[in-house]
Amino acid sequence: MSLFHRLVAGVAVLLLIFSIGIFAINVHYARQSLLDSQRMETSNMTQGLSLALVQFIEKGDWTSVRTLMQATSDGSFIDTLKLEAVGLEKPLVVQNPGTTLAPDWFQALISLPRLSNQREISGGWSPLGTIMLEADNSLPYNQLWKLGLSLLLWLVIGMALTLVVCALGFRRLLSPLHRLSHYLETLQIEGYAQPVASTRVQELQGITLAVNRLSARLNDQFEAQTAQVIRLQRMAEQDAVSKLGNRAYLTRILDEWLAAPEGGALVILRIDHLAEIYRRDGFVARDDTIRAIGTYLTSMNVQALPIQSARLSAEEFALILPDVSDARREELLVTLLDRIDDIVDANPLHDERVHHVRAGVMIREPGLQRITILSKADSALREAVETDQRWYVAPRESRHNERSRGDWRMVIEQALSEHRAIFVAQPVILNNGEELHRELFMRLKEGDETHLASSFLPIARHFGIGSQLDRYVLQWLSQHGHDLDCRLAVNLTTDLVGSNDEVDALIEWLRAHPALAARLDIEVTEESVLRYTDNVQRLFRVAWHLEGRGGIDRFARDLNSLPILGRLRPDYVKIDQTFFVRDDVDNEFLHSLCMAAHQIEALVIVTRVESEAQRALVTDIGADGYQGYLAPAVTLAPEVH
């Protein structure tokens, strides 16, 4: 119960106790007054009736006696009159009970004694008889009931008005505390924002100041930690002249690229003219040219994605192109090589463009390893140099058995339409042995063959139908997710995260399945975070409100995402093990990366852990858990499918 509700409830209880006291006191005094009045009237009525009956009793006129007794009891507060007199064989009784509006529970709660009075009828030396009068309580009960209703009505109205006034007053008085609470919630979810406004409430001024100082200090600490990670990463993976990545950087991004379900091509550039610049103009001119090339490659992007590039040697550069059509790749290569030719030899007096750059292109194929693709790209570069071509594309190894992208798309759509998708779940294990969740992976059946996600996800991404796969997964979860007794993680495609309508539909799905959303972890890739930060933030907020969690997969491929961590506040980040198992990277850099994630209370999970030695290494660095071959994926029970 909130403080506001507690205060209002406390005031309501006090008002109720106060009202009960007022009600009891007023009813008590009214009851006592009615009893005193009834007692006096009973006594006077008994005395007057005893005098009036003397003459009729002496004459023995019992008809007149009855008439007088009935007239006396009519319209008065008398319930019973009883006369015992000389000459009467049996007592003369006249009854006139009244009716009351007061309910039985009210009469039981406020009891009124039935008053009675008795007088002897004097007849000289000896009494003529006795008259007894018993009062009727109907009229006092009616008066008390009317008084109680009026008093109760005014007390209820007074309590309601008082509660409304108190609620408005409390809400106004607590508004600084509400702002402070909302600020702390925002600080926890979104990170540091503007300082909360000060308040005139003296008791909260110190708290507000302390919260502002603490949030600013945490933000400064996170920014300092982030800056240290970036500085250490540049020391370990950045070429000093071009400001591009070095060989260590290329090794890491190649391993991560080949492990991810993505397409694309590796391009190695050779610029022999750089040696001519060095011989002719010296190393300063050569370094300026290299810096210009690095600036251009850094600014180059395809489909709103920056191109990952590195400098391999004095005259060679490498870059990874995203998955595009063959025609689009040729356009990119022409633009790229023309621009670098202009940088290394911008001479407007030349009638024809002089080609100084040669390129070797190796299109990614399933199953390729880093050494293989580097070797093939280097062979393609030598072929381009020897045959004097601007670029040469290495032939595919299994081109005669290769399916076209259109055929792959038909396989995907047919498998989904015929519900020939199966699911496996791979656990994520924390260092203490607990299970964080199980990540759900889809596989497609085609006859007796099973296609892994790495085979069809690049095709889905190329055609922009990744959201179709995501919708199928969500539909499957809505039907079978309640049969699974574990926490699940779903990795969303960039196609879904990049569409506002798809994100809105996913949010509605989460709200329609709150029990399932409470044990569901929403994962997005770092690429989705960088391109669609607002949509990712919306998804994470809804997941948190439904007691779910949000995570970032393939994290730290681009360290520009580190500052966004403070805004998104994910529950965990997943980093590829290639980040941790290299010998050419200082452990301080890896430890700082983990500390930066821990600054925002995010767990660090290392993926593709293949051995106990790697697991021990990532634990020593400061990671919180692992995912990989040590905890292999488990096929879900057949009855679930």
Side-chain angles (χ1 to χ4, degrees):
M1 184 182 293
S2 65
L3 178 60
F4 172 78
H5 291 154
R6 289 174 184 267
L7 290 174
V8 173
V11 172
V13 171
L14 291 177
L15 287 175
L16 183 62
I17 295 174
F18 181 71
S19 300
I20 291 174
I22 292 179
F23 184 85
I25 291 173
N26 278 272
V27 171
H28 173 74
Y29 278 111
R31 172 182 176 276
Q32 196 64 36
S33 176
L34 288 172
L35 284 176
D36 293 342
S37 176
Q38 192 179 42
R39 188 176 290 111
M40 184 178 296
E41 291 180 2
T42 301
S43 177
N44 292 338
M45 182 64 71
T46 305
Q47 183 177 2
L49 190 59
S50 65
L51 295 176
L53 290 175
V54 171
Q55 54 180 334
F56 299 112
I57 294 176
E58 289 178 344
K59 295 177 182 181
D61 188 358
W62 305 115
T63 302
S64 298
V65 169
R66 177 177 290 277
T67 301
L68 179 60
M69 291 175 64
Q70 289 178 345
T72 302
S73 63
D74 288 343
S76 64
F77 57 90
I78 299 174
D79 180 74
T80 303
L81 285 175
K82 182 179 180 182
L83 175 64
E84 295 179 352
V86 178
L88 280 175
E89 295 181 359
K90 58 180 181 179
L92 180 62
V93 179
V94 176
Q95 291 183 328
N96 186 27
T99 58
T100 178
L101 301 176
D104 294 337
W105 64 266
F106 185 78
Q107 298 181 38
L109 183 65
I110 305 173
S111 62
L112 288 175
R114 188 175 290 273
L115 298 178
S116 62
N117 203 342
Q118 182 175 323
R119 285 294 179 94
E120 290 185 351
I121 301 175
S122 177
W125 295 104
S126 64
L128 299 177
T130 304
I131 183 72
M132 186 186 68
L133 184 150
E134 188 172 339
D136 184 17
N137 288 338
S138 299
L139 183 60
Y141 270 125
N142 288 340
Q143 292 175 341
L144 282 176
W145 176 245
K146 184 177 180 181
L147 173 65
L149 288 179
S150 301
L151 187 60
L152 186 63
L153 176 63
W154 283 108
L155 286 176
V156 169
I157 294 175
M159 284 182 62
L161 291 176
T162 304
L163 285 176
V164 170
V165 173
C166 288
L168 294 176
F170 288 153
R171 190 173 295 278
R172 183 176 180 84
L173 289 175
L174 293 176
S175 58
L177 192 58
H178 289 320
R179 288 199 304 270
L180 191 60
S181 176
H182 179 71
Y183 178 81
L184 290 175
E185 182 179 356
T186 304
L187 184 67
Q188 182 180 4
I189 295 177
E190 300 181 10
Y192 180 73
Q194 295 297 324
V196 64
S198 183
T199 174
R200 289 180 293 180
V201 180
Q202 185 176 0
E203 289 79 1
L204 294 180
Q205 289 178 353
I207 299 177
T208 303
L209 181 61
V211 167
N212 285 335
R213 287 179 176 175
L214 178 61
S215 61
R217 186 175 301 172
L218 290 175
N219 181 68
D220 293 342
Q221 187 175 359
F222 176 72
E223 290 182 351
Q225 189 69 46
T226 302
Q228 182 183 7
V229 173
I230 295 175
R231 178 179 60 82
L232 293 173
Q233 187 262 351
R234 287 174 178 172
M235 292 173 58
E237 297 186 340
Q238 189 179 67
D239 178 65
V241 180
S242 65
K243 304 303 180 184
L244 300 174
N246 56 18
R247 282 186 174 272
Y249 172 76
L250 180 64
T251 299
R252 177 172 66 85
I253 64 172
L254 274 179
D255 287 339
E256 293 174 357
W257 175 53
L258 295 173
E262 300 176 3
L266 173 65
V267 179
I268 297 181
L269 305 176
R270 182 174 181 84
I271 312 172
D272 292 328
H273 194 66
L274 290 174
E276 177 64 25
I277 294 175
Y278 174 69
R279 287 192 297 268
R280 184 184 63 203
D281 302 321
F283 72 90
V284 175
R286 183 201 62 181
D287 289 352
D288 289 341
T289 305
I290 292 174
R291 271 190 288 270
I293 295 173
T295 302
Y296 169 67
L297 293 179
T298 302
S299 63
M300 189 178 180
N301 62 79
V302 179
Q303 298 174 347
L305 290 176
I307 290 181
Q308 295 172 305
S309 53
R311 185 185 179 196
L312 300 182
S313 63
E315 300 165 359
E316 289 186 355
F317 298 81
L319 57 152
I320 299 176
L321 294 180
D323 187 20
V324 293
S325 63
D326 294 341
R328 177 57 177 154
R329 187 185 309 109
E330 289 187 2
E331 292 178 5
L332 289 174
L333 289 172
V334 170
T335 303
L336 173 67
L337 300 184
D338 286 348
R339 179 61 183 133
I340 296 179
D341 282 338
D342 292 338
I343 292 175
V344 298
D345 189 14
N347 191 345
L349 299 179
H350 285 167
D351 295 332
E352 296 181 357
R353 177 183 296 276
V354 180
H355 298 154
H356 298 288
V357 187
R358 298 292 183 266
V361 182
M362 179 59 196
I363 300 175
R364 177 180 170 178
E365 297 180 49
L368 283 180
Q369 300 298 319
R370 170 168 42 92
I371 301 299
T372 305
I373 196 171
L374 281 172
S375 176
K376 289 183 174 296
D378 188 63
S379 298
L381 175 61
R382 289 199 306 269
E383 183 69 21
V385 173
E386 292 172 359
T387 58
D388 196 23
Q389 301 180 62
R390 300 196 72 185
W391 70 83
Y392 178 78
V393 180
R396 296 178 181 270
E397 290 187 351
S398 56
R399 197 172 188 85
H400 59 284
N401 293 326
E402 183 184 2
R403 270 181 170 157
S404 67
R405 287 172 173 170
D407 292 339
W408 266 112
R409 180 170 184 173
M410 292 179 60
V411 170
I412 295 172
E413 293 178 345
Q414 187 173 1
L416 295 182
S417 63
E418 297 177 0
H419 300 285
R420 287 189 282 104
I422 61 175
F423 292 89
V424 298
Q426 185 176 40
V428 172
I429 308 299
L430 300 178
N431 292 338
N432 58 8
E434 295 181 1
E435 187 175 281
L436 178 67
H437 62 227
R438 294 190 178 186
E439 185 174 356
L440 205 61
F441 293 100
M442 176 191 287
R443 295 175 179 177
L444 301 181
K445 297 275 297 178
E446 184 186 11
D448 296 333
E449 188 176 2
T450 301
H451 300 297
L452 302 180
S454 57
S455 300
F456 59 83
L457 276 182
I459 308 300
R461 176 169 181 165
H462 176 80
F463 287 106
I465 59 174
S467 56
Q468 185 176 344
L469 298 174
D470 290 330
R471 287 194 300 270
Y472 186 91
V473 173
L474 295 175
Q475 181 182 1
W476 183 87
L477 279 175
S478 62
Q479 296 174 356
H480 304 288
H482 300 285
D483 299 329
L484 303 173
D485 57 356
C486 58
R487 189 175 191 91
L488 298 174
V490 175
N491 202 319
L492 302 177
T493 64
T494 306
D495 296 328
L496 185 143
V497 179
S499 171
N500 293 332
D501 294 337
E502 293 288 353
V503 170
D504 293 337
L506 175 55
I507 289 175
E508 291 302 322
W509 184 90
L510 290 172
R511 290 171 175 167
H513 303 82
L516 190 57
R519 55 188 186 90
L520 191 66
D521 292 349
I522 300 296
E523 281 187 22
V524 296
T525 61
E526 183 182 69
E527 175 189 342
S528 300
V529 169
L530 292 174
R531 297 178 64 181
Y532 310 109
T533 307
D534 292 338
N535 281 349
V536 173
Q537 188 174 33
R538 283 202 297 145
L539 278 176
F540 282 6
R541 279 188 172 186
V542 173
W544 289 326
H545 286 306
L546 296 174
E547 299 182 358
R549 293 189 298 217
I552 301 177
D553 193 17
R554 304 180 210 161
F555 182 70
R557 295 181 68 179
D558 185 345
L559 291 182
N560 291 326
S561 62
L562 277 177
I564 302 179
L565 277 183
R567 176 181 173 185
L568 293 181
R569 319 288 288 187
D571 294 285
Y572 61 89
V573 295
K574 290 184 177 180
I575 303 176
D576 194 270
Q577 56 92 14
T578 55
F579 228 121
F580 291 84
V581 299
R582 293 175 297 155
D583 297 329
D584 55 351
V585 177
D586 189 356
N587 287 346
E588 184 182 357
F589 164 51
L590 304 177
H591 185 66
S592 296
L593 181 61
C594 295
M595 288 182 61
H598 292 159
Q599 284 282 329
I600 57 167
E601 300 180 355
L603 299 176
V604 178
I605 307 299
V606 181
T607 61
R608 295 201 304 128
V609 174
E610 303 174 356
S611 64
E612 284 292 341
Q614 291 182 0
R615 187 193 64 80
L617 177 60
V618 299
T619 303
D620 294 339
I621 294 300
D624 303 286
Y626 66 93
Q627 179 182 14
Y629 301 113
L630 288 180
V634 179
T635 304
L636 300 179
E639 56 269 17
V640 175
H641 297 287

